[in-house]
Each structure stands twice: as structure tokens, then as C-alpha cells.
Amino acid sequence: MKSLTIKSLTTKRVKAKPFSQVRRIFWETRTYIFLWYLAVMAVFIGLSVPIFSILILRTVNARVEEELTEELEAFDTLIDEQKKTKEGLTHENLPRFLKYFLSVRLPEDDTFLITILDGDFFSSSPRALPNTVWESTELMSYFLELNKSERNRYKTSDPNIGEIMYLTRPVIAEGQIRGLFVVLHTTAGERQEILESEITVTKVLFIVLFFALFLAWIASGKILAPLRSLSTTALAISESDLSQRIPVQGTGEMAEVAMTFNKMMDRLEAAFTSQQALINDASHELRTPITIIDCYLEQLEPDSEEQKKIVKLLKDELNRMNRLVNDLLLLAKAERPDFLNCEIVEIGTFTEELYTKATTLAKRNWSLEVKGTGRIIADPQRLTQAFLNLAHNATKYTTEDDVIGVGATLSKGKFYLWVRDTGEGIDTAHQKKIFERFERNVNGRRCEGLGLGLAIVKAIASAHQGWVELKSQVGIGSTFTIVIPLECLERRG
Ligand code: ADP
């Protein structure tokens, strides 16, 4: 059995409880926003790196193509110029011309100018060619046999060379194809540069992502802060005082929500106040004539048996009316936030008192089943009222020989207060219905009474954030248990 220490009942803890829920929702929403933002940013980064690579590769390729074309144009120009000289371009001066061309053209890095003459490698600039393009390779063999202009790419497996982009131009002297001019570029250098830029961009994007997420976290907190204070205030209002309002700041959406909420509270408070006033006025107006009639009836001295009977009947009906007014008033009050006057209740002593009070209701085999230990925060008056309603019912539906057991306990975070009887029991079909107002049709018959007793018990349990459990079997008896979660009791306090 769990007992609640005084320490755990301090006002601070009691106040903190409802807001923990608000805080949880706040954190959930904030995390939700944060995760969405993270997902958007992840997609953005995931797409931007490959897009960046594709764009930069295109730019680099275009630049290389331009370079190669430039070299080819330079070759063509020099050939034309040579042809225009007196000497012209002959079989004899062709090797000299090619050597001269290669010596005056200094190609960019990773670009190579190759000349082939009469089916053999003639010369190149720079002189040292990468292995992959050297004489013995497949590509060089291809060039040796080629005798036309071509723009193409050649993939190598050498990581230091990468893909080769090349342009060719047949070398024609005296109307005869004598060889081939090749300008080629190895792309490994560019690829390496692209890779390095990709790594740098990725690093930068991750740093940006980190700061963006950090800012998103702060921003979402700031955006949600008014909502959090709104719901905290709203919770405080609904739990205590209907006259409180949410402070309206600024003119944005939050201010609109606060204003709408405040307007709703205005209407609610007005409806509540007028309902309260109506009930108060009606009960007051009803109580006065009831008291007056009661006084007159007391003074009446009936002459005959017939008159005595009538007076008794009137008194009974008047009592009923009085009870009805009181019960309705109580049920109306139960809706109000100030219905309960909570205080620390010592369960053991409280249960003993309840037991003593119950035993005065009627002669039955009363038994105090469990006294319970520990303390709770609750309204002892209201709980007594609910308990006595249950005990009174138990006496109504039992005989002198029956047992009525009562008890209270704290277990697994809940407070239990029960009344058990070995009376007539309630059929399953009516076990839920009997908690409704004016419901008194049970086991196929209409019972005496107003049918408000159990509705009051339920209202008192609900005001404590609890409920009423019923276990009953016709012919065996019933057990009514008021169950109140401790958390709610603490909060109520
Ligand atoms: P009332 O105020 O008229 O007593 P209640 O709301 O207390 O009405 O009870 C509603 C109905 O539930 C009663 O009319 C009765 O039939 C049934 N009831 C309540 N308590 C018991 C019980 N302990 N045993 C059997 N029937 C019960």
C-alpha cells in the first residue's frame, strides 16, 4: 500500500503537475518542427551536392572543349599561313613545320599536342606523354590509323589520367594526307579539383545545416512561446477561476487566438453566472415556501385519522421536495471550479469516521474492511457526502441480516473508497444507467427516491478527477467504489 508523504503534497508540486502536460506538448511540437526542418534541410543538402557537381562538371568540360578548339584553330591558322608563303607546305618542309608548331605552342596543363607523320608518332608538346597515350597503347594505335577530323572522349582506367578528351585534324601536304594532328586533354586533374570542391561544399553545407538547425530550434521555441503561455494560462483558467483572461500582446495570430479564447471565456462566464444565479434564486424561492408550509404543517392539529394521514403525506412530499432542491443545487454546484474545498486528509482516521457515521444509518452487520494509511488531498465533506449516499443506498437494498462492508485504501497511485453490501444487487443492464439523474428503474421495478443519489456520488468523484466503479450481481450484492487517481488529488489541492 502506498502512502503519500506530506513533502509530496507541497503546493509547488501540486501547481507544477498540470503544466508538465503543457510542457510535454510544447516540446513535442518543437521537436516536430525541428525534425521537419531537419528533413527539409537534409533533402536540400542531399540534392544540392550532386547538382553542384553536375553544374561544375559541365562548366569544366566546356572550358576544356574551348581550350582544345583553340589549339586546333591555332594549328589550322598556322597551316593556312604556311600554305600562303612562297614555299608553301610541301612533303619536305612538313616535318620542320610540325616541329616549329610544337615548339611555339605551349599547351595548358594536362593538354598535349601530338603529331603523327606517315603512320608513325612524330613528336609531341610537351615531350613527355602520359603512359596511357604513349605509343604502345590502344589509343595511340587508334590515332596512328586515323586520318580524319574527330571530336571524342576515351575512358581510361588510370586514376591519374581519368577520361581523355581529344580533337584530331588530318595533316595534308600537297593534297595528300600525310599524318594527324591531335590535341588531347586528360581530365583527372579537373576531376580531382571537382572532388575537392565537393568535399569543401559538403563541409560548408554541414556547418550551415548545424547553424540553421540551431537557429530553427531557437526560432521554434520563440514562435511557440506565446502558444505555451496561452495554453498554460488557459489551463489555469479552466482549473480555477473563470474570471481570468489571457493577456493579449501584439496583433498577430497569437493575439487573435488569445482574443477569441477570451471572448469564449466571457460568454462562458456569463452563461455560468446566469445559470448560477438562476439556480440560487430558484432554490431560494423554493426553500422559503417549503419552510413556511413546513411550519404551518407543524402547527396543524389534525382532528381525525384521515387528516393525520393527509398531514403526514404532505410532510413526506415536502421533505422530498426539500431534498430535491438541495440535491439539484448540489449537482449544479458540482460543475463549478470552487465546488471542492480540499485539504490534507488522513485516510485511517477519515475511514474510521465514515464507518462510525454509516453505522448510525441502520442496523446491519457493518464491517470496517480496510482502514488504509497515508494522506491525500481531497474535500473530506464532499467525500463524506458521497460515501453516505452509497452507505444509505446499501441500507435501503439490504435487510438486517446482510453485511455492509466499508473501506479505503491507497494503491498503485489511486485512492479507493468503497461500500460493499450483500443486498439484492443490480442487473447488468442497469449498472451504468443508475448513475444518470432521476434513474431509479432497476431489476424490473421502480425504486423509491429521487434517483439523484448516485449522480451526486459520480459528480463528487468527477470533481476529484475520479470515477465510480460498480461490481454487482443480482441476489449476491453490490460494491460501489469511488476511485480517484492520486495525481489528480494532488493537482486539485
Ligand atoms: P436514490 O437517490 O433515489 O436513492 P440513487 O441514484 O442513489 O437513487 O440510486 C439509483 C438506483 O440505483 C436506485 O433506485 C436503486 O435501484 C439502485 N441502487 C443504488 N444503490 C444500490 C444498492 N446498493 N443495491 C441495489 N440497488 C442499488
Side-chain angles (χ1 to χ4, degrees):
M1 228 178 286
K2 190 176 162 190
S3 71
L4 206 66
T5 60
I6 280 285
K7 198 170 162 232
S8 69
L9 300 172
T10 56
T11 335
K12 201 175 165 203
R13 170 141 183 228
V14 167
K15 288 255 161 73
K17 275 283 177 185
F19 303 129
S20 64
Q21 205 182 342
V22 174
R23 210 173 294 145
R24 188 173 55 78
I25 294 166
F26 170 76
W27 281 107
E28 268 175 16
T29 315
R30 199 178 185 185
T31 314
Y32 189 68
I33 293 174
F34 180 78
L35 289 179
W36 260 106
Y37 194 71
L38 180 71
V40 169
M41 287 299 282
V43 170
F44 165 72
I45 288 180
L47 287 177
S48 61
V49 174
I51 288 174
F52 168 80
S53 305
I54 290 169
L55 290 180
I56 205 148
L57 193 70
R58 270 193 194 174
T59 315
V60 168
N61 282 347
R63 203 192 67 211
V64 172
E65 294 265 0
E66 209 177 296
E67 253 175 59
L68 296 182
T69 313
E70 249 176 47
E71 290 298 338
L72 199 70
E73 280 170 2
F75 180 75
D76 287 344
T77 315
L78 221 64
I79 289 256
D80 285 347
E81 279 173 7
Q82 181 61 33
K83 279 181 180 168
K84 280 178 195 157
T85 59
K86 262 194 203 162
E87 195 187 351
L89 191 63
T90 61
H91 290 300
E92 284 76 38
N93 68 10
L94 182 60
R96 197 161 23 94
F97 168 78
L98 291 179
K99 277 247 188 267
Y100 167 74
F101 173 75
L102 293 177
S103 65
V104 292
R105 289 302 297 180
L106 280 175
E108 300 275 335
D109 284 350
D110 300 331
T111 302
F112 300 88
L113 308 176
I114 301 167
T115 50
I116 290 160
L117 199 60
D118 299 327
D120 266 331
F121 170 77
F122 176 67
S123 186
S124 70
S125 173
R127 276 183 180 278
L129 285 178
N131 287 342
T132 317
V133 246
W134 197 234
E135 280 182 74
S136 56
T137 64
E138 183 192 23
L139 183 63
M140 188 53 92
S141 316
Y142 177 71
F143 286 150
L144 293 179
E145 279 171 22
L146 191 70
N147 56 9
K148 59 175 172 110
S149 293
E150 191 176 276
R151 176 187 293 267
N152 216 336
R153 289 169 190 223
Y154 175 78
K155 275 211 170 94
T156 71
S157 53
D158 186 346
N160 296 322
I161 303 290
E163 196 178 42
I164 291 174
M165 294 167 75
Y166 66 83
L167 286 178
T168 64
R169 178 75 88 226
V171 181
I172 304 166
E174 296 177 53
Q176 212 184 335
I177 296 177
R178 284 284 310 277
L180 191 74
F181 170 68
V182 181
V183 51
L184 63 82
H185 185 90
T186 56
T187 56
E190 277 86 14
R191 296 287 180 275
Q192 185 59 32
E193 274 172 31
I194 292 172
L195 188 74
E196 276 165 17
S197 341
E198 270 175 9
I199 292 170
T200 313
V201 167
T202 312
K203 274 183 193 165
V204 170
L205 283 176
F206 270 103
I207 293 171
V208 169
L209 174 71
F210 176 77
F211 280 106
L213 289 180
F214 178 70
L215 289 178
W217 183 253
I218 306 253
S220 58
K222 286 222 176 290
I223 292 166
L224 289 172
L227 202 65
R228 185 186 178 190
S229 86
L230 200 83
S231 67
T232 310
T233 321
L235 195 71
I237 292 173
S238 66
E239 288 216 337
S240 52
D241 185 1
L242 288 179
S243 65
Q244 275 190 49
R245 293 292 177 270
I246 293 169
V248 182
Q249 285 163 355
T251 51
E253 280 97 343
M254 292 298 170
E256 246 173 61
V257 173
M259 271 184 320
T260 314
F261 181 85
N262 285 347
K263 274 185 196 159
M264 189 192 76
M265 286 307 293
D266 287 345
R267 287 200 298 274
L268 209 67
E269 195 189 6
F272 216 81
T273 317
S274 78
Q275 184 204 27
Q276 220 54 50
L278 179 80
I279 293 167
N280 278 342
D281 292 351
S283 63
H284 196 74
E285 293 300 319
L286 279 169
R287 269 176 175 171
T288 317
I290 287 172
T291 318
I292 295 169
I293 296 170
D294 196 34
C295 278
Y296 279 114
L297 280 178
E298 283 299 325
Q299 286 167 21
L300 271 183
E301 285 171 7
D303 299 332
S304 63
E305 276 305 306
E306 187 68 15
Q307 282 179 350
K308 273 184 192 165
K309 257 190 197 170
I310 291 171
V311 168
K312 189 178 173 301
L313 195 106
L314 288 176
K315 275 186 178 175
D316 283 351
E317 282 308 304
L318 214 57
N319 277 339
R320 235 169 92 83
M321 224 157 129
N322 202 16
R323 259 197 10 248
L324 181 70
V325 169
N326 287 338
D327 286 356
L328 284 176
L329 202 66
L330 190 133
L331 279 171
K333 267 193 197 164
E335 309 279 319
R336 283 175 38 164
D338 61 348
F339 176 58
L340 297 181
N341 280 322
C342 290
E343 56 185 73
I344 296 172
V345 179
E346 181 79 52
I347 296 172
T349 326
F350 182 60
T351 321
E352 270 175 14
E353 282 170 13
L354 291 181
Y355 173 72
T356 314
K357 281 176 191 165
T359 50
T360 60
L361 290 173
K363 193 173 172 296
R364 296 286 183 275
N365 288 321
W366 291 95
S367 130
L368 179 57
E369 295 178 340
V370 180
K371 232 169 44 163
T373 53
R375 298 182 180 96
I376 54 165
I377 294 180
D379 184 335
Q381 256 90 45
R382 295 294 180 206
L383 279 185
T384 306
Q385 197 171 6
F387 172 85
L388 287 179
N389 275 5
L390 293 178
H392 186 67
N393 276 351
T395 59
K396 278 204 277 185
Y397 305 103
T398 48
T399 57
E400 273 193 20
D401 300 330
D402 279 313
V403 176
I404 302 180
V406 300
T409 185
L410 273 178
S411 169
K412 290 181 187 157
K414 290 190 185 86
F415 169 65
Y416 297 88
L417 177 65
W418 68 88
V419 176
R420 182 181 66 83
D421 68 63
T422 54
E424 65 179 61
I426 301 152
D427 59 283
T428 330
H430 290 100
Q431 285 183 13
K432 260 196 177 161
K433 278 192 174 175
I434 53 168
F435 291 96
E436 286 167 21
R437 293 173 187 193
F438 301 109
E439 184 60 49
R440 50 206 161 130
N441 288 327
V442 171
N443 303 345
R445 65 179 167 80
R446 189 173 173 82
C447 300
E448 269 185 42
L450 300 166
L452 287 176
L454 288 177
I456 288 173
V457 176
K458 190 178 152 191
I460 291 173
S462 298
H464 283 89
Q465 310 288 311
W467 59 91
V468 188
E469 284 175 3
L470 167 62
K471 275 186 194 152
S472 185
Q473 226 178 317
V474 178
I476 296 195
S478 316
T479 307
F480 287 87
T481 313
I482 297 171
V483 187
I484 303 171
L486 278 188
E487 193 187 303
C488 303
L489 287 176
E490 286 174 40
R491 200 186 305 164
R492 272 276 159 203

